[in-house]
Amino acid sequence: MTDALFLFDPQVDDVPVNSDELHAGWKLTLPAHIKRHAVQAMRLKAGDSLQLSDGNGLRIQAVMADPEAGLAEVVEVGREPEPLTRLALIQALAKTGHDEQAIDMATQIGVDQVVPWQADRSIAKWKVGRTDKKWNSVLDAATEQSRRAFKPQLEACASSKEVVAICRRACVHGDVVIVLHQDATDTWSGVEEKVAQLVERTLQDGRPRTVSVVVGPEGGISEQEVADFVKAGAVSCVLGRNILRAATAGPVALSLLSRVLGPMSI
């Protein structure tokens, strides 16, 4: 069984994060919230293995030395490189937690960036200090569940005009923005060709690029929004014959993209 992974915040938790200074054999005092989760909830005992990460590529392999004191002994330290080709999810706010379900699954699949979007038809509203805290909590839990060393970056909530700006920047930088729309005429196979070309360019020049997926709320993306995004350089396509929920459309698209990107997304 894969060792449990626990995230810590280097700005809050007193855990050394410099992998050049942290060596095997060192004893770490686990932050209170990690000790509580590891010892009380997961029942880790002395000698059990665990992993720690700052969510920014650092992965510390450790062994529980003293559960009561919350001490863990470092076995190995490493920092993973960021993928050259990043996946982003621009997820419209949706009611009844469908947006949170979407970012949970997207994190497990491997998304690198999450952009909340206040779409024209979004019923749910973004509340700074409340909604962002909930979304961060979802991303934390999904990152730990999937044993990732990188937590997806949560951006500020975007308006439709700001999504248009994202599409324009993508054109300048050679990125791809995919808008999932049930009435689009372009098919997913055409999208995969564009993404494959992006991968080829990245292999040639080694420059990081991003593939973004735009998903609307329960009522769908408005025609004006789709027109604005496409005019700004996005690709609008239909994902398949069936119409998916706001919670599942993004994760399905990201899964298909992960297959196209292959090792470039690792």
Side-chain angles (χ1 to χ4, degrees):
M1 182 177 178
T2 306
D3 297 332
L5 182 141
F6 302 94
L7 286 176
F8 63 89
D9 186 345
Q11 296 182 348
V12 177
D13 301 319
D14 186 20
V15 177
V17 297
N18 191 330
S19 58
D20 294 330
E21 297 179 358
L22 190 60
H23 299 287
W26 279 26
K27 293 284 201 314
L28 295 178
T29 300
L30 299 177
H33 67 96
I34 293 180
K35 175 189 173 184
R36 184 168 54 251
H37 190 189
V39 178
Q40 297 180 9
M42 302 196 70
R43 307 290 185 183
L44 293 187
K45 305 181 293 296
D48 287 344
S49 299
L50 68 151
Q51 299 179 61
L52 300 169
S53 177
D54 63 353
N56 195 35
L58 180 67
R59 190 183 296 273
I60 302 172
Q61 189 72 40
V63 173
M64 186 68 75
D66 187 341
E68 187 172 339
L71 289 177
E73 181 175 335
V74 176
V75 175
E76 186 179 356
V77 181
R79 187 171 290 278
E80 300 176 5
E82 290 191 71
L84 275 177
T85 305
R86 293 164 52 86
L87 288 172
L89 174 63
I90 302 175
Q91 175 66 52
L93 303 185
K95 62 182 182 180
T96 63
H98 286 163
D99 46 14
E100 294 175 19
Q101 294 174 34
I103 65 171
D104 184 323
M105 289 188 287
T107 301
Q108 296 178 56
I109 291 165
V111 76
D112 301 290
Q113 182 184 38
V114 172
V115 182
W117 168 35
Q118 190 77 58
D120 290 348
R121 294 176 178 171
S122 288
I123 297 174
K125 301 298 180 183
W126 185 265
K127 298 178 181 178
V128 177
R130 180 180 174 183
T131 313
D132 52 340
K133 185 177 180 180
K134 288 181 64 178
W135 279 43
N136 262 313
S137 179
V138 171
L139 296 178
D140 282 344
T143 299
E144 293 182 339
Q145 166 66 36
S146 52
R147 313 297 196 258
R148 293 181 53 173
F150 281 99
K151 173 186 171 181
Q153 183 176 347
L154 178 61
E155 305 293 348
C157 186
S159 64
S160 293
K161 287 185 178 179
E162 288 169 328
V163 175
V164 168
I166 292 174
C167 295
R168 287 174 177 160
R169 286 197 298 271
C171 287
V172 173
H173 295 293
D175 300 336
V176 173
V177 178
I178 304 160
V179 180
L180 302 183
H181 186 47
Q182 63 188 45
D183 295 328
T185 55
D186 289 343
T187 61
W188 186 258
S189 60
V191 167
E192 290 194 349
E193 290 180 9
K194 292 181 182 295
V195 174
Q197 292 169 4
L198 177 146
V199 171
E200 185 63 30
R201 291 196 300 271
T202 302
L203 285 171
Q204 292 174 356
D205 60 25
R207 188 163 62 85
R209 290 182 173 85
T210 301
V211 180
S212 302
V213 177
V214 181
V215 179
E218 297 91 336
I221 304 176
S222 72
E223 295 300 328
Q224 186 60 56
E225 286 171 322
V226 174
D228 290 343
F229 299 161
V230 171
K231 185 178 179 181
V235 179
S236 176
C237 80
V238 58
L239 189 55
R241 181 183 304 173
N242 299 331
I243 306 303
L244 303 179
R245 290 184 182 274
T248 55
V252 168
L254 291 170
S255 296
L256 295 172
L257 288 171
S258 295
R259 180 177 63 85
V260 179
L261 296 178
M264 294 297 291
S265 63
I266 299 176

